Amino acid sequence: GEDVEQSLFLSVREGDSSVINCTYTDSSSTYLYWYKQEPGAGLQLLTYIFSNMDMKQDQRLTVLLNKKDKHLSLRIADTQTGDSAIYFCAERGNTGGFKTIFGAGTRLFVKA
Amino acid sequence: GAVVSQHPSWVICKSGTSVKIECRSLDFQATTMFWYRQFPKQSLMLMATSNEGSKATYEQGVEKDKFLINHASLTLSTLTVTSAHPEDSSFYICSALRDRGTYEQYFGPGTRLTVT
């Protein structure tokens, strides 16, 4: 079945860039997402990218997609303490009723 | 736009009782909604897909008689945890799939259920 994997922890200093990586297995993935979850809260959609795109930039966020290697990354420029959260990578194909498969989440720690 | 609400945001109930959680898409229509369960420090586990006007589709291992789902309108889905037990304590999150455009999925804020 489909699988999404990502590293569990990342620690960076305030002001540095953060790069969170994700790999997925479903070659029919159409949309790839990054969600942010703060403690005790639901998921916030940060950004998404279509499978026919290589890169998408939105303010401090840059998403890179390598479809050949099924690798997705999220870069956060000038990381702030408020960026500390869990970041989930997710993918969705065109089959299976639009089900979205989530990775385990990467916990980002930002040190002041 | 694209706001999804859940009610209640947290609930404590006794073993053996039933609890209903509501998920509403406030400013868009959603034929399809999803119910997820999240254990502490873990990812989201899809429990079921809720379709307006038809029966929900449950994922393998999820008891449909225990987790009753009703998608009564294009903006409301409910999850009822029947005969709750302490092991049902979890964070339940719903999401709604917008009925147009890129079919983006928007998440509710979650409901924390504690069964004593």
Side-chain angles (χ1 to χ4, degrees):
Chain A
E2 304 92 348
D3 193 22
V4 177
E5 292 191 355
Q6 48 184 130
S7 53
L8 296 182
F9 299 100
L10 177 64
S11 179
V12 300
R13 291 189 183 278
E14 191 174 24
D16 288 350
S17 292
S18 308
V19 179
I20 303 172
N21 294 300
C22 168
T23 58
Y24 60 97
T25 59
D26 186 3
S27 57
S28 70
S29 293
T30 304
Y31 300 99
L32 295 127
Y33 304 92
W34 285 104
Y35 289 90
K36 177 182 180 182
Q37 185 180 35
E38 298 187 38
L43 270 68
Q44 173 195 355
L45 177 64
L46 282 180
T47 186
Y48 64 92
I49 189 169
F50 298 119
S51 60
N52 62 356
M53 297 170 65
D54 298 324
M55 185 184 87
K56 181 178 180 181
Q57 186 156 4
D58 183 2
Q59 298 182 351
R60 292 191 298 124
L61 306 179
T62 303
V63 179
L64 294 178
L65 174 61
N66 181 328
K67 195 174 180 181
K68 173 176 171 289
D69 295 337
K70 300 190 184 69
H71 181 268
L72 183 75
S73 68
L74 173 70
R75 179 176 180 271
I76 305 173
D78 188 24
T79 312
Q80 303 298 307
T81 54
D83 295 324
S84 293
I86 302 174
Y87 292 80
F88 290 96
C89 169
E91 64 90 13
R92 196 185 86 205
N94 277 333
T95 59
F98 298 105
K99 280 195 301 186
T100 301
I101 307 299
F102 286 83
T106 298
R107 189 177 293 271
L108 175 64
F109 296 95
V110 182
K111 296 175 285 188
Chain B
V3 178
V4 176
S5 70
Q6 277 185 244
H7 178 81
S9 54
W10 59 271
V11 57
I12 302 172
C13 71
K14 293 187 176 180
S15 277
T17 61
S18 295
V19 173
K20 180 186 282 190
I21 303 170
E22 292 186 350
C23 177
R24 292 182 186 271
S25 56
L26 298 185
D27 51 0
F28 64 97
Q29 292 186 331
T31 302
T32 302
M33 292 185 179
F34 301 95
W35 285 96
Y36 294 86
R37 185 173 179 178
Q38 186 181 32
F39 292 101
K41 299 183 180 180
Q42 294 189 28
S43 189
L44 280 73
M45 181 193 80
L46 179 65
M47 298 174 66
T49 303
S50 168
N51 298 294
E52 188 268 338
S54 64
K55 290 183 180 179
T57 304
Y58 290 82
E59 295 299 301
Q60 195 170 9
V62 178
E63 299 175 60
K64 61 182 179 182
D65 294 331
K66 180 166 185 63
F67 298 100
L68 301 179
I69 291 171
N70 182 27
H71 197 143
S73 75
L74 289 173
T75 59
L76 172 64
S77 175
T78 60
L79 168 70
T80 301
V81 183
T82 62
S83 186
H85 290 285
E87 57 264 30
D88 298 325
S89 299
S90 191
F91 195 49
Y92 292 87
I93 303 176
C94 77
S95 71
L97 200 61
R98 194 202 288 258
D99 272 359
R100 61 175 181 83
T102 57
Y103 290 91
E104 290 164 28
Q105 189 175 179
Y106 295 93
F107 284 81
T111 296
R112 184 161 302 283
L113 170 64
T114 302
V115 184
T116 60

